[in-house]
Amino acid sequence: MSPVEQDTDRSLGQLMATATTELSALVHDEIALAKAELRQDAKRAGIGGFAITTAGVLALFSLPVLSFAAAYGIHNLGLGLAWSFLIVGSAYLLLAALLGVFAVAKFKKVKKPEKSMASARETAAVLGNAKPHPRPRAAVPAEPAP
């Protein structure tokens, strides 16, 4: 007997039970696949986060060394040591001021999430106008008066 002939011999209830079982198995398999992918992505994100943090710490530690190197490099050009350090420090302050102005300009461009707020208001208005589904009340036995 072929598989097609076997399917025609089964009742509608059996077919529905089989379909439900297979759909349930498919959903469970999809969830397991999603979990495996998320675990793998979380592991990669953790390793990437560690690497970028380590790179940032190393860059931060190199800043004083490079600052001294710049100051002594300027000193070797014939300028006094104090002036060399003053030039390097001033360059850092100028860079900090420029980055601060840039940050303020970017913060001023930040706007409220207008679309999300409008959607939330619209949803609230629809839900506010919705009438609850009438439910039949169960008969509640009256309590005798004391």
Side-chain angles (χ1 to χ4, degrees), residues 21-132:
T21 302
E22 289 178 1
L23 183 62
S24 177
L26 177 64
V27 168
H28 286 290
D29 290 345
E30 289 294 327
I31 290 172
L33 177 62
K35 283 181 182 179
E37 286 177 344
L38 286 175
R39 262 188 244 113
Q40 193 174 34
D41 287 344
K43 183 177 178 183
R44 287 181 185 146
I47 292 171
F50 175 76
I52 196 75
T53 302
T54 304
V57 167
L58 290 175
L60 187 63
F61 286 165
S62 71
L63 193 61
V65 174
L66 293 174
S67 298
F68 275 96
Y72 279 108
I74 293 171
H75 176 68
N76 283 339
L77 295 175
L79 209 55
L81 193 58
W83 287 106
S84 300
F85 277 99
L86 185 63
I87 290 171
V88 171
S90 298
Y92 282 136
L93 286 177
L94 179 65
L95 183 62
L98 289 174
L99 286 173
V101 168
F102 177 74
V104 168
K106 288 297 177 184
F107 283 135
K108 285 184 179 180
K109 290 182 180 181
V110 173
K111 297 179 182 175
K112 296 178 186 174
E114 297 291 337
K115 291 180 183 178
S116 297
M117 290 170 51
S119 175
R121 279 190 214 106
E122 197 174 298
T123 302
V126 168
L127 292 176
N129 295 332
K131 296 179 182 175

